[in-house]
Amino acid sequence: RAFVVLGRAAAAGAPGDGSVGAVGLSEDAARCAPVGGDCTNSHCCDTLGTKCFQKNKFYAACHPASQACEADKPFALDPPKLRTPWSCKVLGGPGPGAKPPPPKAWPHANAGCFVVEDGKLLVVHHTFGVFDIPGGTADAGEIPAQTAVRETWEETGYKVEATRLKAIEPNGFHIYDCKLVEHRQLGMPDPGEISYIMWKPFGQLPTNGWRFQDEVRLFH
């Protein structure tokens, strides 16, 4: 992975609140509804910046507070068959210990994959002597999720799918949660870049020797 901070032209599409932190859900928040989830009974949401909007006496859902809910009108995100009027009464907001909203991907950024299988993290060891998660520099026209998937294939020989944006690092590097599409290693890493790959339990991961040492926080 090249440690390249994209120029201002590419970074112009980046949201201002790109940083994310690891925040555990409390027991109360675990009972609150996720974004788009039913909060009829709980009257709370598990994500900051959301509200529990009532549709009628039978149903309420959590949606971002920034999305306008107009009384006596259908909600824009409802499926066509369910577009009936909402009361838009606010029943509650984020519950105790609510998590931050997920970061928003930039249009173009360097990216990598956080691949976990059976409690083990997929790690690459570069030929220049440091550990890393698979990832690298974006090609022209790629969105970050595509970059993460392609770089993981090139560096490990594993086919993966990006499922969720996990974090955006201060240098703009996007880290995705990825899952294996095929459990067999179908390709071979570039021996000029990768000396070996390994699946390592989280409790046995090295604490030092990482290419980007600040990423170690994601392992806990």
Side-chain angles (χ1 to χ4, degrees):
R1 180 203 316 176
F3 183 60
V4 177
V5 179
L6 295 177
R8 291 184 180 271
D17 56 350
S19 61
V20 295
V23 178
L25 289 181
S26 69
E27 187 176 345
D28 288 334
R31 293 194 294 265
C32 295
V35 177
D38 187 344
C39 57
T40 306
N41 296 320
S42 68
H43 291 190
C44 67
C45 307
D46 71 358
T47 305
L48 297 174
T50 59
K51 292 181 179 180
C52 177
F53 291 104
Q54 184 183 59
K55 182 171 188 176
N56 50 45
K57 64 180 181 179
F58 303 109
Y59 184 72
C62 288
H63 291 293
S66 59
Q67 290 178 345
C69 183
E70 298 183 65
D72 301 321
K73 292 184 178 181
F75 196 68
L77 298 180
D78 282 347
K81 292 182 179 180
L82 300 177
R83 285 185 182 164
T84 54
W86 285 64
S87 76
C88 290
K89 179 181 179 181
V90 177
L91 301 181
K99 63 188 178 184
K104 295 181 180 179
W106 301 3
H108 187 72
N110 302 335
C113 271
F114 195 82
V115 189
V116 179
E117 184 75 6
D118 296 328
K120 298 177 180 179
L121 179 69
L122 180 58
V123 177
V124 300
H125 188 267
H126 288 283
T127 52
F128 48 89
V130 293
F131 297 108
D132 203 355
I133 59 172
T137 305
D139 283 349
E142 282 185 331
I143 62 173
Q146 293 172 327
T147 301
V149 168
R150 175 185 54 76
E151 284 286 342
T152 299
W153 164 253
E154 293 176 358
E155 293 190 354
T156 70
Y158 281 101
K159 290 285 188 182
V160 300
E161 175 187 349
T163 59
R164 184 182 74 96
L165 180 56
K166 186 179 186 69
I168 299 177
E169 296 300 279
N171 67 344
F173 189 79
H174 284 41
I175 298 176
Y176 284 85
D177 282 325
C178 298
K179 66 178 182 180
L180 293 176
V181 174
E182 171 60 60
H183 286 74
R184 293 178 301 153
Q185 185 183 20
L186 300 178
M188 292 296 295
D190 179 0
E193 183 179 359
I194 306 297
S195 55
Y196 62 88
I197 66 171
M198 61 182 182
W199 291 94
K200 204 73 171 172
F202 283 95
Q204 299 177 21
L205 288 169
T207 55
N208 296 303
W210 293 86
R211 186 175 185 185
F212 300 99
Q213 193 65 36
D214 58 337
E215 291 177 4
V216 173
R217 78 185 191 284
L218 300 173
F219 305 158
H220 304 289

